[in-house]
Amino acid sequence: MWQIFLGSLLLSLIHALIPHHWIPIIAISKTEKWTNREAIYATLLTGLSHMISTIVIGVVVGFVGIKLFEKYSSITSVVAPTILLVIGIIYLMLDFRAGHHHHHHFDLDDEKLKSRRSKTAIISSLSLAMFLTPCVEIEAYYFQAANFGWAGIFTVSAVYLIMTLLFMSALVYFGLNGINRLNLSFLERHAKRITGIVLIILGIVAYFVEF
């Protein structure tokens, strides 16, 4: 379970760090002259929408994993980390091939956002965009967590939900107050590469290390 907890924590932090998860909130907040409280509120709502769709799909994946583990435990103990490795390699390949393409969750046209002066309309649009783009990397990790039954699935869901929302909110707050001066251009350009490396490491750990 420590393996599942630490893996979930690592993926959550990397996931929240991706600039396109929180920079649009900062930009819109400054344009619309939102208060810090309004910006954090928007971050929590849009982040929660993203988490809901991700977790729902993850629970389904985990349920399938549990059923397979009950019948083929010796096979799934190998298949689960293999899936992590394969997806990690795919992420690396996508990063090297795409190069300049970014990982977008906010794939909305800026002019459309500017034309919607209503805070409710803006937050609704961002929430819908987040809901329709669940994260693939954590879905694969749900299959690994299924080896520990529903406890593993709950651990992944709880850690991913809480840490992602907290970290996204912190980044928005620091960004709005000029505290965040980090150069995240590399992370923005190579989010897939970083995620791929983490998934490969988690897959290798699942093969050889027992907690």
Side-chain angles (χ1 to χ4, degrees), residues 3-12 138 141 155-156 159-160:
Q3 175 188 345
I4 297 299
F5 175 80
L6 293 176
S8 302
L9 181 62
L10 185 59
L11 286 174
S12 300
I138 198 68
Y141 204 59
T155 299
V156 173
V159 172
Y160 204 62

Side-chain angles (χ1 to χ4, degrees), residues 54-75:
T54 299
I55 290 174
V56 167
I57 296 174
V59 169
V60 173
V61 172
F63 176 75
V64 173
I66 289 176
K67 292 303 180 182
L68 290 175
F69 185 75
E70 290 174 351
K71 296 182 178 180
Y72 312 103
S73 58
S74 60
I75 297 177

Side-chain angles (χ1 to χ4, degrees), residues 28-48:
I28 294 170
S29 296
K30 291 182 177 180
T31 300
E32 299 295 327
K33 295 180 171 48
W34 289 351
T35 64
N36 284 355
R37 175 177 289 186
E38 289 174 322
I40 297 301
Y41 175 73
T43 302
L44 291 174
L45 281 183
T46 55
L48 183 60

Side-chain angles (χ1 to χ4, degrees), residues 117-135:
R117 306 310 295 179
S118 167
K119 181 173 67 175
T120 301
I122 293 173
I123 295 176
S124 298
S125 298
L126 293 177
S127 297
L128 179 61
M130 292 285 273
F131 181 81
L132 295 176
T133 52
C135 283

Side-chain angles (χ1 to χ4, degrees), residues 58-160:
V59 169
V60 173
V61 172
F63 176 75
V64 173
I66 289 176
K67 292 303 180 182
L68 290 175
F69 185 75
E70 290 174 351
K71 296 182 178 180
Y72 312 103
S73 58
S74 60
I75 297 177
T76 55
S77 61
V78 175
V79 171
T82 300
I83 291 175
L84 292 178
L85 286 173
V86 170
I87 293 181
I89 292 171
I90 291 174
Y91 266 69
L92 287 179
M93 292 175 62
L94 289 173
D95 178 78
F96 286 121
R97 289 183 61 183
H100 61 281
H101 292 304
H102 304 317
H103 174 74
H104 290 278
H105 275 316
F106 294 103
D107 195 19
L108 297 178
D109 185 80
D110 289 339
E111 293 303 319
K112 290 182 179 179
L113 284 178
K114 291 177 182 178
S115 66
R116 295 172 181 170
R117 306 310 295 179
S118 167
K119 181 173 67 175
T120 301
I122 293 173
I123 295 176
S124 298
S125 298
L126 293 177
S127 297
L128 179 61
M130 292 285 273
F131 181 81
L132 295 176
T133 52
C135 283
V136 175
E137 65 269 18
I138 198 68
E139 311 299 9
Y141 204 59
Y142 268 99
F143 196 78
Q144 171 70 23
N147 289 320
F148 298 89
W150 287 109
I153 293 174
F154 175 80
T155 299
V156 173
S157 300
V159 172
Y160 204 62

